[in-house]
Each structure stands twice: as C-alpha cells, then as structure tokens.
C-alpha cells in the first residue's frame, strides 16, 4: 500500500500541557472539598451517610453534588486519587534523583512508596486517617469497595508508562511490576486500616513499613527492576 512521503524535517517538540483554567481549578477544588466531607462522614457513620448529608457538610446544594458525582460513594474518589497522583509524582522525582546515584528501579519504587505513606504535614496525616476510616466503612459497603478498587485499577494503569520509562524489562515485566507495586500499596494500607488504632510504633502502626516489606516480597522475581533503562532503548 502506498504511503505519503515522509518529511525529513525534524518534528517540532511537543508543547507543554496548558495550565488548567480558573474554572477547571475551581471545579477540582469543589470536588475535593466534597470528597473530604464524604470521607469524614463515611468514616464516622458508615453506609448510613446520604448524598444530602455530604452536600450539607460540604456547603453545597444537593443538585451541585449530583453535578459532580453520580452516587454518594463516587464522592470519595477524588480524595483517593490525590494519593495516587502524589505517589506517581514522588516516583518520578525519586527516579530522577536516583539516576545520578545509580540506584535500581526496585529501590526507587520502595522509596517512593514509603514516602507516599509517610505524611509530610498534618493535612496529609488527616487524609491518611480518612482513608483508614473509609476502609473500615467498606467492610459493609460493596459500592464503596468498588470505588476503592477502581481507583487502584487506574493507579496500576498510570504506573505502566512511568515504569516503562525507567526499567529495562519488557512489556510483560513492566505490567507485572506495576501490578506488584500497586498491590503492595493497597495491601499495606488495607492491613494498616484493619489493625487497631495503634500507637504509631512498629510495623502494625506504620503503613510505610508494611509497604516496604510488601514491595520487596512482590517484586523479588522481577529482574528487570534491577536494571535502569539504557540510553539506547530511550532512543
């Protein structure tokens, strides 16, 4: 089949993504405020919470709530997704720092996961506590559990291109690495949430310790994580 002639002129570099508009930023802020209210209420009351309760707590009209979310359970997704985005950002930053130090991708993954589950300020600590409350409420709420698993599925998909740019492994190994890393994060937080309140000491009171152990166990057989991607394969 004939094809169009290819230009020898180098393609221009892609433009950086446009910054979100003021309207988009306000929409995202409103969604997150509703998500925080929903998480706090679910953690306190469980599945008895209604969409009207969440709207009142967030200071928005019920019709505004339904403009953003289809169900009351969907309202917690933006808060959970913030943690996912933070983890990916930590992973990219840790990877850039590790390249000069010659650390393996396995080490980068564990460091980023530990950092994501180690709150840097009170707001981050509060978000982690809300997540624990949500996970406890999920035991008796299949719809809430479905949101949690959907967020983690999206997290795994988002990890794949990040890891593909770091590891020398093939496509199957990259997908396995993404699945292993995502599972380590999920199991660490779920295990921590299932434990008692704890005193913050030892493994049971520290999700960062749990994720470190889980990451090492689940990625042990993935040899591609011991090698960084070479310059030749980047080309």
């Amino acid at each position: 089949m004939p094809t169009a002639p290819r230009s020898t002129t180098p393609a221009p570099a892609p433009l950086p993504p446009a910054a979100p508009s003021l309207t988009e930023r306000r929409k995202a802020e409103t969604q997150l405020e509703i998500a925080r209210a929903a998480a706090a209420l679910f953690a306190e009351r469980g599945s008895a919470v209604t969409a009207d309760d969440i709207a009142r707590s967030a200071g928005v009209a019920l019709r505004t709530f339904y403009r953003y979310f289809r169900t009351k359970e969907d309202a917690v997704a933006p808060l959970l997704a913030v943690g996912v985005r933070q983890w990916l950002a930590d992973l990219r930053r840790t990877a850039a720092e590790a390249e000069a130090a010659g650390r393996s991708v396995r080490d980068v993954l564990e460091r980023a996961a530990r950092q994501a589950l180690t709150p840097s300020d009170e707001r981050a600590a509060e978000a982690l506590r809300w997540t624990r409350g949500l996970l406890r409420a999920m035991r008796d709420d299949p719809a809430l559990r479905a949101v949690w698993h959907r967020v983690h599925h999206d997290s795994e998909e988002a990890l794949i291109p990040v890891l593909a740019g770091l590891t020398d492994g093939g496509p199957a190994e990259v997908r396995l690495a993404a699945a292993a890393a995502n599972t380590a994060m999920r199991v660490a937080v779920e295990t921590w949430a299932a434990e008692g309140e704890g005193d913050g000491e030892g493994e049971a009171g520290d999700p960062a310790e749990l994720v470190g152990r889980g990451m090492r166990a689940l990625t042990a057989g993935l040899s591609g994580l011991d090698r960084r991607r070479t310059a030749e394969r980047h080309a």
Side-chain angles (χ1 to χ4, degrees):
M1 176 182 291
T3 58
R6 296 183 180 179
S7 170
T8 57
T9 305
L15 295 173
S21 67
L22 180 59
T23 299
E24 291 170 332
R25 292 199 302 273
R26 284 177 175 167
K27 179 180 178 181
E29 288 167 4
T30 300
Q31 285 180 314
L32 195 52
E33 284 304 314
I34 295 173
R36 290 190 183 108
L41 287 172
F42 273 116
E44 179 184 347
R45 304 181 196 172
S47 59
V49 172
T50 67
D52 191 50
D53 292 334
I54 297 169
R56 284 203 308 270
S57 180
V60 301
L62 187 59
R63 67 176 179 274
T64 301
F65 174 91
Y66 281 116
R67 188 181 306 146
Y68 290 113
F69 303 107
R70 187 172 57 87
T71 68
K72 64 180 183 179
E73 293 85 7
D74 285 338
V76 304
L79 184 65
L80 298 175
V82 165
V84 171
R85 288 196 297 271
Q86 184 60 54
W87 180 30
L88 293 175
D90 288 344
L91 179 57
R92 292 186 183 98
R93 183 174 60 253
T94 305
E97 295 169 354
E99 189 167 4
R103 293 199 296 266
S104 69
V105 179
R106 191 189 313 279
D107 184 56
V108 168
L109 267 175
E110 183 178 338
R111 285 171 181 261
R114 283 177 173 273
Q115 186 171 351
L117 294 183
T118 304
S120 57
D121 53 34
E122 179 52 35
R123 190 158 193 171
E126 184 179 44
L128 200 55
R129 288 194 295 270
W130 281 339
T131 300
R132 170 152 50 186
L134 280 172
L135 284 165
R136 289 175 174 173
M138 285 175 198
R139 296 168 186 165
D140 304 312
D141 194 329
L144 206 53
R145 284 202 304 274
V147 174
W148 171 249
H149 288 295
R150 185 177 74 234
V151 168
H152 272 280
H153 174 269
D154 293 345
S155 169
E156 184 175 319
E157 292 297 310
L159 266 173
I160 291 170
V162 176
L163 290 175
L166 296 175
T167 179
D168 206 29
E173 193 165 31
V174 168
R175 291 194 70 91
L176 283 169
N182 186 65
T183 299
M185 288 287 283
R186 178 178 59 79
V187 170
V189 177
E190 289 175 350
T191 301
W192 171 70
E195 298 289 341
E197 287 297 327
D199 55 9
E201 296 180 359
E203 188 177 90
D206 188 353
E209 284 300 316
L210 286 167
V211 79
R213 190 179 76 175
M215 195 74 72
R216 290 191 298 274
L218 292 175
T219 64
L222 300 174
S223 59
L225 296 182
D226 294 321
R227 306 184 303 273
R228 298 195 63 88
R229 195 172 188 183
T230 63
E232 289 77 10
R233 292 193 63 175
H234 272 298

